[in-house]
Amino acid sequence: MATINDNYLKFKAGYLFPEIARRVNTFAEAHPEAKIIKLGIGDVTEPLPEACRLAMIKAVEDMGDRATFKGYGPEQGYAWLREKIAAQDFQARGCEIDASEIFISDGSKCDTGNILDIFGNNNTIAVTDPVYPVYVDTNVMAGNTGVVNDRGESEGLVYLPITAENNFTAEIPSQKVDLIYLCFPNNPTGATTTKEHLRDWVDYARVNDGIILFDAAYEAFITDASVPHSIYEIEGARDCAIEFRSFSKNAGFTGTRCALTVVPKTLKGKATDGSDVELWKLWNRRQSTKFNGVSYIVQRGAEAVYSDEGKAQVKSLIEFYLENGKIICSKLQNAGINVYGGVNAPYVWVQTPKGLSSWDFFDKLLQTCHVVGTPGSGFGAAGEEYFRISAFNSRENVEAAMQRITEKFKV
Ligand code: MLT
């Protein structure tokens, strides 16, 4: 009989969001009359921008004509898309990123997991607590962790607590770590960072020969001019950071699938023989072998995000969700509930009322208000007395959910 990857046996539960969906479905089957409002997984609800739709329709027509038909595309993505990204997302902000350093993919979730393919198994890896669970779970699958303790922490990872006391921004570790996952604007806390804080991380990584895996999937929600959008706004980051970006949350591509990863050509890792190796070459090799690129149609849709119409339409989508975030924050605050985030980010990090544990609050909210959120402990032990509410939903649902919650949980 074939043997299995035993690392999967280390998991104590299923992946967070399907696990929540399972509980919600069980409740819904037992209470078919309940009008459940889902503010759990950060999934968009508003339609795709018209500019993207029109570009995709045109691309479908291209596929119907022998003269413009496309077969396999470049594994790294089409140059016309990568050039627009390089110019508008990076160079326009003073970041020295070339189109050839951008790899188009089908998602940041996939890329933040797949990136482990190019790293060894003997790295010291740091994650924040709470954290986007993909970073931890993919390290478990890769065999980079040991047993899971009672707090749900995997042996072998360095956990950096992010709490209200440190404004949900991790302190620079006192020990040397090789890989550090950072996510700003942060999932799940909705916190943002400053250039000074990122500079400290870049300095730390350069001194310690570490690499920062910087997840900027929510950068489009930044409206405050002082908040950095990219790690490459910090001098020296080209030598110590990989950045992940996505079209999921800005242009509503969660079901359409398009994202990008930046691997600067100056970024190096160590081989076992002690030599320095360009990580760009390894990621390029990995993508060329395991990935056939994102469809032409979807890449044309993503390209439209950079047109004047596309930019205006994306801006209004972002403003719509940010307004939802504002409503969530103000309604909960008025009810005496402590909230964080929700500004420059689509997530509101709520302190559970009445000292409830995060899963108890989840159950109570589902049963008494028919509202779904995400229990903070699903993101790590430090999330135990927190609960994440996503701003991705219709205005009507957000308002109805806040009405229901504040009636029940006013303190
Ligand atoms: C979340 O809810 O944290 C996100 O939707 C997850 C994801 O983007 O994969």
Side-chain angles (χ1 to χ4, degrees):
M1 192 183 281
T3 61
I4 58 144
N5 178 350
D6 277 345
N7 295 311
Y8 281 67
L9 305 181
K10 293 174 190 160
F11 289 121
K12 291 207 167 145
Y15 183 57
L16 179 60
F17 295 107
E19 180 62 27
I20 289 171
R22 194 186 56 74
R23 290 185 187 220
V24 173
N25 291 342
T26 307
F27 179 82
E29 274 163 28
H31 302 89
E33 74 297 341
K35 289 200 167 43
I36 298 175
I37 300 177
K38 295 182 182 168
L39 302 174
I41 189 164
D43 194 5
V44 293
T45 53
E46 303 311 298
L48 287 179
E50 188 187 28
C52 302
R53 282 183 280 130
L54 293 177
M56 286 193 273
I57 291 167
K58 159 84 174 55
V60 170
E61 296 302 331
D62 291 348
M63 296 298 269
D65 181 340
R66 181 178 290 277
T68 46
F69 172 78
K70 301 281 183 294
Y72 289 125
E75 295 90 353
Q76 303 78 4
Y78 285 100
W80 35 260
L81 175 57
R82 303 160 87 198
E83 277 156 15
K84 289 196 176 67
I85 294 168
Q88 297 194 33
D89 284 344
F90 295 102
Q91 292 157 10
R93 291 193 182 279
C95 308
E96 244 186 88
I97 294 297
D98 186 73
S100 63
E101 297 173 314
I102 294 168
F103 293 81
I104 306 299
S105 77
D106 60 346
S108 287
K109 177 181 177 181
C110 325
D111 281 0
T112 52
N114 291 335
I115 201 75
L116 291 176
D117 274 10
I118 65 169
F119 291 106
N121 282 115
N122 45 4
N123 288 311
T124 305
I125 297 163
V127 292
T128 61
D129 177 12
V131 70
Y132 179 41
V134 168
Y135 313 153
V136 172
D137 288 6
T138 53
N139 272 290
V140 173
M141 291 173 182
N144 292 340
T145 62
V147 292
V148 178
N149 68 18
D150 292 343
R151 282 169 58 81
E153 294 165 339
S154 288
E155 185 189 29
L157 294 181
V158 175
Y159 287 90
L160 308 172
I162 52 174
T163 60
E165 286 70 50
N166 61 18
N167 286 325
F168 302 100
T169 46
E171 266 138 47
I172 307 293
S174 45
Q175 72 190 99
K176 177 175 158 41
V177 302
D178 304 304
L179 289 178
I180 310 122
Y181 291 85
L182 294 180
C183 173
F184 287 113
N186 186 253
N187 181 11
T189 65
T192 52
T193 188
T194 59
K195 276 200 176 164
E196 291 67 36
H197 182 67
L198 283 191
R199 191 167 298 127
D200 288 346
W201 273 112
V202 167
D203 291 347
Y204 168 84
R206 294 184 73 193
V207 166
N208 290 285
D209 272 339
I211 290 177
I212 299 168
L213 301 173
F214 191 77
D215 187 348
Y218 299 95
E219 74 75 34
F221 291 85
I222 298 171
T223 52
D224 182 336
S226 68
V227 175
H229 288 245
S230 167
I231 187 103
Y232 303 118
E233 288 176 45
I234 311 301
E235 207 186 324
R238 281 185 56 83
D239 302 328
C240 66
I242 290 174
E243 182 164 308
F244 305 92
R245 292 250 184 143
S246 173
F247 292 92
S248 282
K249 315 288 161 109
N250 59 350
F253 274 42
T254 53
T256 306
R257 311 306 309 151
C258 197
L260 60 115
T261 289
V262 183
V263 187
K265 290 186 173 162
T266 44
L267 185 62
K268 296 197 173 70
K270 265 273 173 266
T272 310
D273 67 6
S275 60
D276 289 349
V277 177
E278 280 175 41
L279 290 172
W280 182 94
K281 286 192 179 156
L282 302 190
W283 186 243
N284 190 49
R285 181 71 171 84
R286 190 255 173 224
Q287 291 299 83
S288 321
T289 307
K290 291 196 178 180
F291 187 57
N292 260 335
V294 174
S295 83
Y296 169 72
I297 298 162
V298 168
Q299 290 192 62
R300 281 295 186 200
E303 184 193 24
V305 165
Y306 298 91
S307 64
D308 289 345
E309 302 75 26
K311 277 190 263 193
Q313 291 158 13
V314 166
K315 186 165 175 279
S316 68
L317 276 177
I318 298 286
E319 284 168 357
F320 175 80
Y321 292 126
L322 283 176
E323 184 60 26
N324 282 350
K326 222 185 208 174
I327 293 169
I328 296 169
C329 289
S330 74
K331 295 277 181 193
L332 295 181
Q333 269 163 344
N334 288 343
I337 299 171
N338 281 338
V339 298
Y340 303 92
V343 184
N344 297 301
Y347 295 125
V348 181
W349 193 236
V350 179
Q351 200 159 22
T352 55
K354 306 182 202 307
L356 288 169
S357 80
S358 62
W359 275 108
D360 283 349
F361 186 55
F362 171 89
D363 287 335
K364 279 214 156 41
L365 214 53
L366 179 59
Q367 284 155 16
T368 63
C369 303
H370 305 159
V371 173
V372 180
T374 310
S377 63
F379 299 100
E384 181 51 291
E385 282 175 12
Y386 289 90
F387 195 75
R388 194 191 75 176
I389 295 187
S390 153
F392 293 111
N393 214 311
S394 66
R395 183 63 41 80
E396 197 191 345
N397 277 347
V398 164
E399 281 173 346
M402 290 311 112
Q403 175 80 23
R404 294 183 202 171
I405 297 177
T406 51
E407 270 169 16
K408 277 270 182 279
F409 290 95
K410 199 167 172 50
V411 283

Short mmCIF file of all heavy atoms in Angstrom, two decimals, residues 17 40-42 109 132 187 218 249 347 388, ligand 1:
data_model
loop_
_atom_site.label_atom_id
_atom_site.label_comp_id
_atom_site.label_asym_id
_atom_site.label_seq_id
_atom_site.Cartn_x
_atom_site.Cartn_y
_atom_site.Cartn_z
N PHE A 17 -12.02 27.62 7.26
CA PHE A 17 -13.26 28.11 6.64
C PHE A 17 -14.23 26.99 6.24
O PHE A 17 -15.43 27.11 6.50
CB PHE A 17 -12.94 29.08 5.50
CG PHE A 17 -12.28 30.33 6.03
CD1 PHE A 17 -10.93 30.57 5.83
CD2 PHE A 17 -13.00 31.23 6.79
CE1 PHE A 17 -10.32 31.70 6.37
CE2 PHE A 17 -12.40 32.36 7.34
CZ PHE A 17 -11.05 32.60 7.12
N GLY A 40 -18.28 35.74 7.64
CA GLY A 40 -17.16 34.90 8.06
C GLY A 40 -16.02 35.01 7.07
O GLY A 40 -15.22 35.96 7.10
N ILE A 41 -15.94 34.06 6.15
CA ILE A 41 -14.85 34.09 5.16
C ILE A 41 -14.89 35.42 4.39
O ILE A 41 -15.98 35.94 4.11
CB ILE A 41 -14.95 32.88 4.20
CG1 ILE A 41 -13.70 32.80 3.32
CG2 ILE A 41 -16.22 32.91 3.36
CD1 ILE A 41 -13.51 31.46 2.62
N GLY A 42 -13.71 35.95 4.09
CA GLY A 42 -13.63 37.23 3.39
C GLY A 42 -13.90 37.05 1.91
O GLY A 42 -13.00 37.21 1.09
N LYS A 109 -3.43 32.66 -1.83
CA LYS A 109 -3.49 31.52 -0.91
C LYS A 109 -2.57 30.42 -1.43
O LYS A 109 -1.75 29.86 -0.70
CB LYS A 109 -4.93 31.03 -0.81
CG LYS A 109 -5.15 29.81 0.05
CD LYS A 109 -6.63 29.45 0.00
CE LYS A 109 -6.96 28.21 0.76
NZ LYS A 109 -8.40 27.91 0.66
N TYR A 132 -3.09 34.37 9.38
CA TYR A 132 -3.83 33.70 8.30
C TYR A 132 -3.42 32.22 8.33
O TYR A 132 -2.23 31.91 8.19
CB TYR A 132 -3.44 34.37 6.98
CG TYR A 132 -4.06 33.83 5.72
CD1 TYR A 132 -5.40 33.46 5.66
CD2 TYR A 132 -3.31 33.73 4.55
CE1 TYR A 132 -5.96 32.99 4.48
CE2 TYR A 132 -3.86 33.27 3.37
CZ TYR A 132 -5.18 32.90 3.34
OH TYR A 132 -5.74 32.43 2.17
N ASN A 187 -4.68 40.39 7.92
CA ASN A 187 -5.71 39.40 8.08
C ASN A 187 -5.25 38.52 9.23
O ASN A 187 -4.17 37.94 9.13
CB ASN A 187 -5.85 38.55 6.81
CG ASN A 187 -6.94 37.51 6.92
OD1 ASN A 187 -7.72 37.53 7.86
ND2 ASN A 187 -6.98 36.59 5.97
N TYR A 218 -4.45 42.73 0.74
CA TYR A 218 -5.48 43.73 1.07
C TYR A 218 -5.01 45.16 0.88
O TYR A 218 -5.60 46.09 1.41
CB TYR A 218 -5.96 43.50 2.51
CG TYR A 218 -6.57 42.12 2.69
CD1 TYR A 218 -5.80 41.04 3.15
CD2 TYR A 218 -7.88 41.88 2.33
CE1 TYR A 218 -6.34 39.77 3.27
CE2 TYR A 218 -8.44 40.61 2.46
CZ TYR A 218 -7.66 39.56 2.92
OH TYR A 218 -8.21 38.31 3.03
N LYS A 249 -9.64 40.65 -3.75
CA LYS A 249 -10.39 41.53 -2.85
C LYS A 249 -10.56 42.94 -3.42
O LYS A 249 -11.46 43.65 -3.03
CB LYS A 249 -9.73 41.56 -1.47
CG LYS A 249 -9.31 40.18 -0.94
CD LYS A 249 -10.49 39.30 -0.53
CE LYS A 249 -10.09 37.84 -0.45
NZ LYS A 249 -10.00 37.27 0.86
N TYR A 347 -11.45 43.94 7.39
CA TYR A 347 -11.77 43.08 8.54
C TYR A 347 -11.85 43.89 9.83
O TYR A 347 -11.02 44.77 10.06
CB TYR A 347 -10.71 41.98 8.71
CG TYR A 347 -10.68 41.01 7.55
CD1 TYR A 347 -9.50 40.77 6.86
CD2 TYR A 347 -11.84 40.35 7.13
CE1 TYR A 347 -9.48 39.89 5.78
CE2 TYR A 347 -11.82 39.48 6.05
CZ TYR A 347 -10.64 39.26 5.38
OH TYR A 347 -10.62 38.39 4.31
N ARG A 388 -13.56 37.69 14.24
CA ARG A 388 -13.37 38.53 13.04
C ARG A 388 -14.69 38.70 12.30
O ARG A 388 -15.37 37.72 12.03
CB ARG A 388 -12.33 37.90 12.11
CG ARG A 388 -11.85 38.88 11.04
CD ARG A 388 -11.04 38.18 9.98
NE ARG A 388 -11.90 37.41 9.08
CZ ARG A 388 -11.47 36.75 8.01
NH1 ARG A 388 -10.18 36.75 7.72
NH2 ARG A 388 -12.32 36.09 7.24
C1 MLT B 1 -10.23 35.00 4.72
O1 MLT B 1 -11.41 35.03 5.00
O2 MLT B 1 -9.32 35.03 5.56
C2 MLT B 1 -9.88 34.95 3.29
O3 MLT B 1 -11.00 34.99 2.50
C3 MLT B 1 -9.19 33.75 3.01
C4 MLT B 1 -8.56 33.77 1.67
O4 MLT B 1 -8.49 34.80 1.02
O5 MLT B 1 -8.08 32.73 1.34
#
